[in-house]
Amino acid sequence: MHKVIKAGWRPLLVIILLFIIWELSSTFFEIPSWLLPAPSEIWQEGVAGWPNYHHHIWSTIQLTVIGFSIGCIVGLMVAIALHLMPRVREAFYPLMILSQNIPIIVLAPLLVIWFGFGMMPKIIVITLVCFFPIAVSAVDGFRQTSQELIHYMKMAGASKGQIFLKLELPHALPSLFSGLKISATYSVMGAVISEWLGANRGIGVYMTLASSSFRTDRVFVAIFMIMILCMLFFLVIISLEKLFIKWRPKGEGNSK
Amino acid sequence: MSQLIVENIRKSFHKKTVLDDISFTVEDGEFVSLLGPSGSGKSTLFHLIGGLYEPDSGDFYLDGKKITGKRGSISYTPQSPSLFPWRTVLKNIMLGSELFGKPDEQEARVMLEKAGLGGYENAYPHQLSGGMRQRVAFVRSLLSPQSFICLDEPFSALDELTRLEMQKWLLAIWGQNRRSVLFITHSIEEAIFLSDRIIVLSSNPATLKREFKIPFPRPREEDILLTEEFLKWKKEIYQELKVLQ
Ligand SMILES: Nc1ncnc2c1ncn2[C@@H]1O[C@H](COP(=O)(O)OP(=O)(O)OP(=O)(O)O)[C@@H](O)[C@H]1O
Ligand SMILES: [Mg+2]
């Protein structure tokens, strides 16, 4: 805990400073609150409005977790398939990259036409934004396995499966986790975007309602909720990373 | 019981011949060292025996069975320790036997203790010194189920005293079960102290230059290092290697 405080006070200070500047300038320049509400107003709405919007948050969390899990599984399976079958990789890798060039905003309404307003199109959107970072980071992790260790395993008589399970998979874990971190934050975005499509609850819905009735303070509440959710997911992934990767030299990445 | 026959091995990389017509035999229970200039192709020979790639011509036989290009027939300590960074020392040394069934954790612990690594069972490789890592890699190959052992400069990163300790320890272990050993080293003294026979390779391309049969009786004690006869052997082999430079 002590360490967290020690490492966290600088960014925290910057954030607090930003809020103070924001607060002061909105009173000083008398900015109307429908244009840009002061942090204090946003805070008031956030506290007072909790009973009105908390069910939206739960719904988004649920959607995110489901979508993210499916995205992870798909991403990992794609990565393993591409890695174990080099021919398939050659054929499908470009397609995978192309899939990321489809603008989600354009694709989303199409998905609604095809799959209706249920869970299906939403989960497809989240999966689509999630699986790519995971698949790419896992494939890279598999491929960057040290040749030395592969040679050792081969000479020791390891089968292809053993080389994969005992060497390439654990070797790819750190890289895989960087992919997971990116995907975790993307998945919250994906969930909110997919809620815009048409849903009856979720932060995305709350946000659309707020902006169409010029409740800018609520829009900001939604924005902060999204940020907090992203942070929470990120933290969960980091704790999992700590749990799974105990062997890395201590102090790596710590700035002194 | 394992005898290795190396028969007319030739290997080139990109038209550059590295090994040229190498033939020799390691008898059952024999300790043979390979001496040769750096870059002469010693490690390459091990990779070929281990089946990592195939020779251009020639064959290897282990106990009469052809093992050319077949993997998993020898136990091997690579020149660089090649430990798995996410495995603890104990898990690392059990890797070789893990590939072929159930590893014996009790035996592994005993071996670690004997190698002077007691207390490091749960350390990760990055927490060890270079010499300790080499010892771990060495113990790993001793615990592998194959009976023929190939060691590629296992003690090169050790200081003089630890090195002597490890050599004595290797001799003691080897004396107990007499597995056949093929040993690569740069140190003439190490080769004489350990081996029954020393094979000197020339370089560019490597051909078999000369063989020395080392007659010191076993078990060997470290005091032979200071005898006249030891020095005489050292001189002779040194002359042989010097001609190669
Ligand atoms: N996979 C490879 N591809 C191309 N050339 C190689 C390969 N492996 C080894 N060589 C070449 O073969 C030669 C012998 O290499 P090798 O590693 O066997 O030498 P060595 O006798 O073990 O040397 P040292 O004592 O320094 O370890 C070198 O010239 C090296 O460049
Ligand atoms: Mg070598």
Side-chain angles (χ1 to χ4, degrees):
Chain A
M1 206 54 213
H2 193 69
K3 252 193 210 153
V4 174
I5 294 168
K6 218 174 164 182
W9 71 269
R10 263 181 271 243
L12 205 66
L13 192 72
V14 172
I15 291 171
I16 291 173
L17 258 172
L18 272 177
F19 276 126
I20 291 175
I21 293 172
W22 180 358
E23 180 76 42
L24 289 179
S25 48
S26 38
T27 27
F28 189 76
F29 297 113
E30 293 172 356
I31 301 170
S33 67
W34 58 268
L35 205 59
L36 180 67
S40 54
E41 289 172 78
I42 297 169
W43 175 257
Q44 266 167 17
E45 175 57 29
V47 175
W50 173 255
N52 299 329
Y53 68 75
H54 73 266
H55 63 283
H56 289 302
I57 294 178
W58 294 129
S59 159
T60 301
I61 290 179
Q62 218 175 26
L63 187 60
T64 308
V65 170
I66 296 173
F68 178 65
S69 316
I70 294 176
C72 283
I73 295 169
V74 172
L76 205 58
M77 283 189 337
V78 167
I80 293 174
L82 293 189
H83 176 67
L84 295 182
M85 293 178 276
R87 286 276 152 70
V88 177
R89 181 172 63 223
E90 275 164 34
F92 280 91
Y93 206 75
L95 189 70
M96 203 167 93
I97 294 168
L98 272 181
S99 80
Q100 292 307 297
N101 296 334
I102 308 170
I104 293 291
I105 304 284
V106 177
L107 185 69
L110 272 181
L111 289 173
V112 173
I113 294 174
W114 294 335
F115 300 104
F117 287 98
M119 279 297 253
M120 192 64 166
K122 300 185 179 66
I123 286 175
I124 292 178
V125 166
I126 303 174
T127 306
L128 211 58
V129 295
C130 267
F131 95 96
F132 185 71
I134 294 174
V136 169
S137 63
V139 166
D140 282 353
F142 293 146
R143 289 209 324 195
Q144 282 160 9
T145 309
S146 124
Q147 280 302 315
E148 241 172 57
L149 298 184
I150 293 184
H151 285 177
Y152 175 79
M153 283 298 265
K154 283 183 176 170
M155 285 181 65
S159 66
K160 223 178 157 187
Q162 283 174 324
I163 292 182
F164 180 73
L165 284 178
K166 290 184 194 295
L167 177 55
E168 287 166 331
L169 192 61
H171 182 272
L173 270 189
S175 163
L176 180 63
F177 268 105
S178 6
L180 284 176
K181 281 181 223 165
I182 297 173
S183 290
T185 46
Y186 279 14
S187 65
V188 180
M189 290 301 183
V192 173
I193 290 176
S194 74
E195 283 163 356
W196 286 346
L197 300 177
N200 39 28
R201 27 170 69 205
I203 299 180
V205 175
Y206 174 75
M207 205 166 179
T208 333
L209 290 178
S211 68
S212 59
S213 55
F214 291 95
R215 289 298 301 264
T216 317
D217 51 346
R218 287 193 181 165
V219 175
F220 273 97
V221 169
I223 290 174
F224 284 120
M225 284 304 151
I226 293 170
M227 283 164 74
I228 291 170
L229 272 190
C230 282
M231 287 279 284
L232 284 180
F233 274 102
F234 197 75
L235 283 179
V236 169
I237 302 293
I238 286 183
S239 348
L240 283 178
E241 186 181 23
K242 285 235 170 79
L243 198 72
F244 276 104
I245 306 175
K246 296 197 184 112
W247 49 273
R248 263 204 281 198
K250 289 237 160 58
E252 205 176 64
N254 278 1
S255 56
K256 270 272 145 77
Chain B
M1 12 138 253
S2 39
Q3 176 210 42
L4 177 78
I5 299 174
V6 176
E7 202 176 81
N8 308 109
I9 294 297
R10 240 178 258 275
K11 177 74 188 173
S12 37
F13 291 111
H14 320 296
K15 298 205 178 116
K16 180 176 162 263
T17 308
V18 177
L19 297 170
D20 192 11
D21 202 18
I22 304 282
S23 300
F24 61 87
T25 304
V26 180
E27 295 300 338
D28 180 31
E30 197 180 21
F31 198 121
V32 176
S33 289
L34 283 175
L35 264 177
S38 180
S40 58
K42 304 180 296 292
S43 299
T44 304
L45 183 64
F46 272 19
H47 293 155
L48 289 170
I49 298 174
L52 192 58
Y53 23 77
E54 295 203 19
D56 299 337
S57 66
D59 279 304
F60 300 102
Y61 298 91
L62 190 66
D63 297 326
K65 271 209 306 262
K66 191 157 123 182
I67 57 157
T68 323
K70 269 215 340 254
R71 290 168 181 170
S73 23
I74 55 156
S75 146
Y76 162 68
T77 303
Q79 190 161 7
S80 54
S82 306
L83 301 176
F84 288 25
W86 52 86
R87 284 180 170 239
T88 59
V89 167
L90 190 67
K91 290 259 182 222
N92 256 298
I93 61 173
M94 295 196 301
L95 180 66
S97 36
E98 203 178 296
L99 298 177
F100 296 95
K102 271 224 154 290
D104 185 347
E105 191 182 320
Q106 206 46 49
E107 192 193 357
R109 284 180 189 280
V110 172
M111 278 295 217
L112 267 190
E113 194 69 46
K114 282 193 199 159
L117 291 166
Y120 286 96
E121 288 85 355
N122 296 320
Y124 288 96
H126 72 86
Q127 297 168 315
L128 306 180
S129 74
M132 286 158 90
R133 271 177 237 160
Q134 270 195 334
R135 275 184 274 169
V136 174
F138 174 50
V139 172
R140 177 178 62 185
S141 67
L142 287 179
L143 287 171
S144 296
Q146 299 89 346
S147 61
F148 193 96
I149 304 185
C150 289
L151 303 170
D152 195 345
E153 302 186 38
F155 304 141
S156 61
L158 301 180
D159 66 280
E160 202 71 29
L161 283 176
T162 319
R163 191 177 179 134
L164 187 61
E165 281 310 306
M166 293 308 292
Q167 289 166 355
K168 287 197 291 194
W169 182 64
L170 170 61
L171 280 184
I173 293 203
W174 178 76
Q176 279 165 25
N177 51 16
R178 287 267 172 161
R179 294 205 251 179
S180 320
V181 177
L182 190 55
F183 190 92
I184 292 179
T185 175
H186 278 147
S187 155
I188 302 177
E189 269 187 47
E190 180 167 86
I192 303 173
F193 183 51
L194 296 174
S195 325
D196 296 313
R197 207 144 45 86
I198 296 174
I199 293 170
V200 177
L201 294 178
S202 67
S203 81
N204 276 330
T207 51
L208 208 121
K209 192 73 197 322
R210 230 182 114 176
E211 271 192 42
F212 296 90
K213 223 172 160 48
I214 309 298
F216 291 110
R218 298 197 186 261
R220 291 178 188 170
E221 296 297 332
E222 58 183 291
D223 28 337
I224 65 164
L225 289 170
L226 302 171
T227 58
E228 283 290 318
E229 204 188 343
F230 195 92
L231 266 169
K232 199 199 83 197
W233 280 108
K234 197 173 157 184
K235 229 185 221 157
E236 201 176 330
I237 297 173
Y238 181 72
Q239 297 285 341
E240 196 65 45
L241 276 169
K242 215 171 135 189
V243 177
L244 295 175
Q245 295 292 323

